[in-house]
Amino acid sequence: MKNDKKTNQYRVNEQIRVREVRVVGDGGSTVMPTRQALEMARQQGVDLVEISPNAQPPVCRFIDYSKFLYQQKKRAKEMKARQVKVEVKEIRFGPQTGENDYAFKLKHAKEFLLDGNKVRAYVFFRGRSILFKEQGEVLLLRFANDLEEYGKVEQLPQLEGKKMAIFIAPKKAGVAKKSQQKMDRERREAEAKEAAKQAKANEEAETPANGGLLANAKISEEALKKLTEQKDEQGA
């Protein structure tokens, strides 16, 4: 392929009108006259493609132009796929939201932030409930505080018509750190509980209810032994 009329991003073959170019390849790079580079490209059955026009001299490659465009398109697609698409998840409150409803929505907000999404939490004021806008602001600030380990506030509560909203962005690095600390703490607590449980079991094994019977059995055995010895002495 000598030229792609649909793409004018790169100059190809005779479109390259400078005196000399730097040709790069697997073996390194070489500066040569453009005519020589064009001749070498024709001999190899490929194109001379200018990939860096602003360099001195311009940088070119020997490659099939259609293959080059395909590689560029594939690379751009892969880069786009790597980009994390951040969505904004909305959570709605009333000015007098109950504790159970609050806990339920807080749980969902944590999940949204852990997934890398932003959270827009808002309080909707219906009718005369707008009189409780301070109460709504307190609710949103409490919400942000409870999510401190999972996200950071991008926008403090603002009243927009009948809605007061706050924006919270994910803070994954912080979450990972906090989660590790929490896991270590829970492990230590579990070990402490297990040690306490074992100590209690040992203590119960030595209580009079069980240990007393063993002790009495041992005392009875010693008393019987002494009595037998006394009888043997008297018989003697």
Side-chain angles (χ1 to χ4, degrees):
M1 177 178 180
K2 298 302 180 181
N3 193 13
D4 189 343
K5 295 180 181 180
K6 296 182 180 180
T7 305
N8 297 319
Q9 184 177 357
Y10 302 96
R11 290 188 291 187
V12 187
N13 298 328
E14 285 76 13
Q15 294 176 353
I16 305 171
R17 301 178 184 276
V18 294
R19 290 184 58 186
E20 61 181 12
V21 294
R22 179 182 296 276
V23 179
V24 296
D26 296 336
S29 65
T30 305
V31 176
M32 65 180 68
T34 305
R35 286 187 178 183
Q36 180 182 350
L38 287 170
E39 183 60 30
M40 292 177 65
R42 280 192 288 267
Q43 291 176 0
Q44 296 179 28
V46 294
D47 299 298
L48 181 67
V49 181
E50 186 182 63
I51 59 175
S52 183
N54 296 325
Q56 295 297 330
V59 178
C60 299
R61 286 187 62 187
F62 292 140
I63 190 171
D64 184 277
Y65 190 43
S66 59
K67 180 179 179 181
F68 174 75
L69 290 178
Y70 172 77
Q71 290 176 345
Q72 294 294 102
K73 185 177 179 180
K74 182 179 179 182
R75 188 177 296 111
K77 187 176 181 180
E78 290 175 349
M79 290 179 65
K80 186 177 180 180
R82 291 193 196 102
Q83 293 177 350
V84 178
K85 185 178 180 182
V86 178
E87 296 183 7
V88 178
K89 302 291 186 178
E90 291 195 341
I91 294 181
R92 172 175 169 170
F93 291 102
Q96 296 178 333
T97 299
E99 286 299 318
N100 290 336
D101 191 27
Y102 177 87
F104 177 77
K105 291 176 178 179
L106 180 66
K107 178 184 176 183
H108 278 285
K110 291 177 180 178
E111 293 173 353
F112 293 150
L113 292 170
L114 285 171
D115 289 339
N117 299 309
K118 292 185 179 182
V119 171
R120 177 179 180 264
Y122 67 92
V123 179
F124 182 76
F125 301 99
R126 189 187 303 275
R128 294 178 60 85
S129 66
I130 192 68
L131 298 174
F132 300 98
K133 61 181 180 180
E134 290 81 6
Q135 189 171 337
E137 183 178 7
V138 171
L139 174 63
L140 291 177
L141 291 175
R142 173 193 174 190
F143 191 65
N145 185 66
D146 290 342
L147 293 171
E148 186 178 7
E149 293 185 7
Y150 303 85
K152 56 185 178 181
V153 176
E154 278 194 341
Q155 176 187 300
L156 290 171
Q158 290 186 2
L159 188 62
E160 305 167 355
K162 294 183 178 181
K163 295 180 181 179
M164 179 176 285
I166 188 171
F167 279 87
I168 303 173
K171 188 173 65 174
K172 285 195 171 183
V175 171
K177 185 177 180 180
K178 291 287 184 179
S179 298
Q180 185 61 47
Q181 292 175 350
K182 186 176 180 180
M183 289 171 61
D184 292 340
R185 184 173 66 251
E186 289 177 349
R187 178 178 55 78
R188 290 193 297 268
E189 290 176 354
E191 291 174 353
K193 287 181 181 180
E194 183 63 27
K197 184 178 179 181
Q198 187 63 40
K200 185 177 180 181
N202 294 337
E203 183 179 351
E204 289 177 351
E206 297 174 358
T207 55
N210 295 322
L213 293 175
L214 295 174
N216 290 337
K218 187 175 181 180
I219 292 173
S220 299
E221 184 180 353
E222 291 178 354
L224 181 62
K225 184 178 180 181
K226 288 182 179 180
L227 181 61
T228 302
E229 290 176 351
Q230 288 178 1
K231 287 183 178 180
D232 290 342
E233 290 176 358
Q234 290 175 359

